[in-house]
Amino acid sequence: MATAEAHSAPNYHPLPVVVASGEGAWVTDVEGRRYLDMLAGYSALNFGHGNPRLIAAAKAQLDRVTLTSRAFHHDRFAAFCAELAELCGMEMVLPMNTGAEAVETAVKTARKWGYKVKGVPDGKARIVVAADNFHGRTTTIVGFSTDPDARADFGPFTPGFTVVPYGDLAAMEAAVDRDTVAVLLEPIQGEAGVLVPPPGYLAGVRRLTAERGVLFIADEIQSGLGRTGRTFACEHEGVVPDVYVLGKALGGGVVPVSAVVSSREVLGVFRPGEHGSTFGGNPLACAVGLEVLAMLRTGEYQARAASLGEHLHGRLRSLIPTGSVTAVRGRGLWAGVDVSPALGTGRAISERLLAGGLLVKDTHGSTIRLAPPLVITEEDLDWALTRLRETLTA
Ligand SMILES: *Cc1c(COP(=O)(O)O)cnc(C)c1O
């Protein structure tokens, strides 16, 4: 059999498992071994592998029409936009495919709004972002990353971004000036290690941006759509941003679906021909997205993430006295676990957990992150936590 290393660019370093099938929170490898998926495609698989409702919606649409391009209308588009806007409490939707494309779209939206509505002088628009951010991999986006691996050798970069420390409201306040059109933040920084900002930070950013006439763009690509126990992570602070950027779980783990969601004042700045995507808002994406939205409207997945999340965090915190874990962060079914560096790198620990039947992914240093599908049962979650305890305290 051909190995992945032989003909794929080495831009990933996958754990040594070859998945052949998946169902719910479980996957099976080519040799028939089963693993509990505690990563869930970085939250793209919030509803689990092969979710019957999502697969049925996709199959039904496959037999009707899959792609029209936006040159024509199709019969799933209006409903998808209307229902997504409603879920967000907003007015307009601009659908794209991947998360990075949606972030790029939000950057373009904010700049155009800055020139046309706010009155920023041409070419001067600035966007304030946070250190340790992760917003995707395009050249513009990695240009305002602070991760050397993401940036090195990929310049020159797009100007117009100011980076401030995450969670530092005073630094944010000092960075926002007359030409600032937007603040772009993850309400919880996922790739950075599931960092939850200090209480009051998001509310403070909301107050500051409202006072200064600056858009608050919340990148909820990973934190949104149920993961933290609410539809949006911003809700934990009672915050409604001006712009949501969504992706990952919006496509139900079936197809890439992303979107920028905002008001008419903001997204209404676009004119035909100024922005677009061949696949953005295609019929298959809309059909799957509509089913995702119907599932989220039940509130069932948010409630599961909240109650199972309490359980997860309680059991993870109980590892701290054993000395194997130094800190646990996160909300809902989402945790960053700092493993004692004495136990090895995050990679080494992930490999040991894999051998025990758990799929997890390390982030920086000795941090592993846990984000199981929201459909995981309490029994399976407990099984995973017992494996984790055994592996870390062995
Ligand atoms: C994954 C992610 C992105 C990028 O999404 P892609 O679909 O991989 O382009 C952007 N922002 C956040 C917060 C993410 O987690």
Side-chain angles (χ1 to χ4, degrees):
M1 195 156 80
T3 62
E5 288 73 18
H7 299 288
S8 74
N11 59 324
Y12 276 94
H13 181 30
L15 288 164
V17 56
V18 184
V19 173
S21 64
E23 187 182 358
W26 293 88
V27 299
T28 303
D29 76 5
V30 286
E31 275 142 20
R33 275 188 299 256
R34 296 179 80 223
Y35 302 85
L36 194 57
D37 183 356
M38 296 292 283
L39 179 65
Y42 304 92
S43 289
L45 288 156
N46 276 3
F47 309 100
H49 294 273
N51 186 287
R53 283 185 69 170
L54 297 172
I55 297 299
K59 282 184 174 165
Q61 191 61 40
L62 282 172
D63 287 333
R64 294 178 68 235
V65 65
T66 52
L67 189 68
T68 55
S69 88
R70 293 283 309 277
F72 316 109
H73 291 286
H74 68 77
D75 65 1
R76 293 299 166 115
F77 187 74
F80 174 70
C81 293
E83 292 182 25
L84 180 55
E86 195 191 341
L87 184 86
C88 297
M90 299 270 176
E91 294 167 329
M92 277 191 171
V93 169
L94 202 171
M96 299 293 284
N97 310 283
T98 65
E101 283 177 309
V103 172
E104 288 275 352
T105 300
V107 166
K108 289 174 73 175
T109 304
R111 286 178 170 183
K112 180 129 204 197
W113 174 87
Y115 299 128
K116 293 295 174 198
V117 180
K118 181 169 175 167
V120 170
D122 190 36
K124 295 285 186 204
R126 295 201 72 78
I127 295 176
V128 180
V129 300
D132 301 317
N133 68 71
F134 183 84
H135 296 290
R137 299 297 197 169
T138 64
T139 43
T140 289
I141 293 171
V142 299
F144 57 80
S145 167
T146 57
D147 177 358
D149 287 344
R151 288 171 60 88
D153 301 327
F154 297 125
F157 298 120
T158 311
F161 298 92
T162 305
V163 184
V164 298
Y166 188 63
D168 183 342
L169 194 56
M172 175 72 73
E173 201 160 349
V176 168
D177 65 13
R178 239 188 16 236
D179 295 334
T180 305
V181 295
V183 166
L184 167 63
L185 289 177
E186 298 156 84
I188 294 177
Q189 287 190 324
E191 299 301 303
V194 195
L195 296 187
V196 181
Y201 177 64
L202 296 177
V205 171
R206 176 65 288 186
R207 216 174 311 114
L208 171 71
T209 49
E211 277 167 18
R212 306 268 185 98
V214 168
L215 300 178
F216 182 177
I217 304 173
D219 179 347
E220 293 248 21
I221 289 171
Q222 194 166 164
S223 59
L225 309 184
R227 173 57 55 193
T228 67
R230 303 282 181 87
T231 304
F232 301 107
C234 282
E235 288 175 50
H236 292 281
E237 289 235 11
V239 162
V240 179
D242 299 295
V243 179
Y244 284 113
V245 186
L246 303 174
K248 293 202 166 105
L250 191 57
V254 180
V255 280
V257 185
S258 67
V260 174
V261 189
S262 187
S263 63
R264 189 169 303 279
E265 174 192 301
V266 173
L267 279 173
V269 296
F270 284 110
R271 294 289 163 266
E274 291 176 351
H275 189 60
S277 160
T278 304
F279 288 92
N282 69 71
L284 183 59
C286 289
V288 173
L290 276 164
E291 200 63 24
V292 165
L293 295 171
M295 290 163 73
L296 285 171
R297 273 198 302 272
T298 67
E300 180 191 331
Y301 299 91
Q302 296 89 325
R304 287 187 73 81
S307 67
L308 291 174
E310 291 268 313
H311 184 65
L312 169 74
H313 284 275
R315 280 198 66 181
L316 289 174
R317 277 194 301 270
S318 78
L319 290 170
I320 295 175
T322 70
S324 60
V325 163
T326 57
V328 178
R329 294 172 300 274
R331 281 194 203 278
L333 275 177
W334 200 17
V337 181
D338 291 344
V339 176
S340 165
L343 296 181
T345 60
R347 172 76 188 193
I349 292 153
S350 300
E351 287 180 0
R352 263 177 263 152
L353 290 168
L354 178 73
L358 288 187
L359 299 188
V360 306
K361 175 77 174 78
D362 55 302
T363 54
H364 303 276
S366 301
T367 301
I368 55 170
R369 60 177 129 194
L370 303 176
L374 311 184
V375 297
I376 192 170
T377 64
E378 187 164 342
E379 292 72 37
D380 286 346
L381 186 61
D382 273 324
W383 181 84
L385 288 161
T386 301
R387 290 287 83 69
L388 184 70
R389 174 179 274 267
E390 283 170 3
T391 305
L392 295 184
T393 59

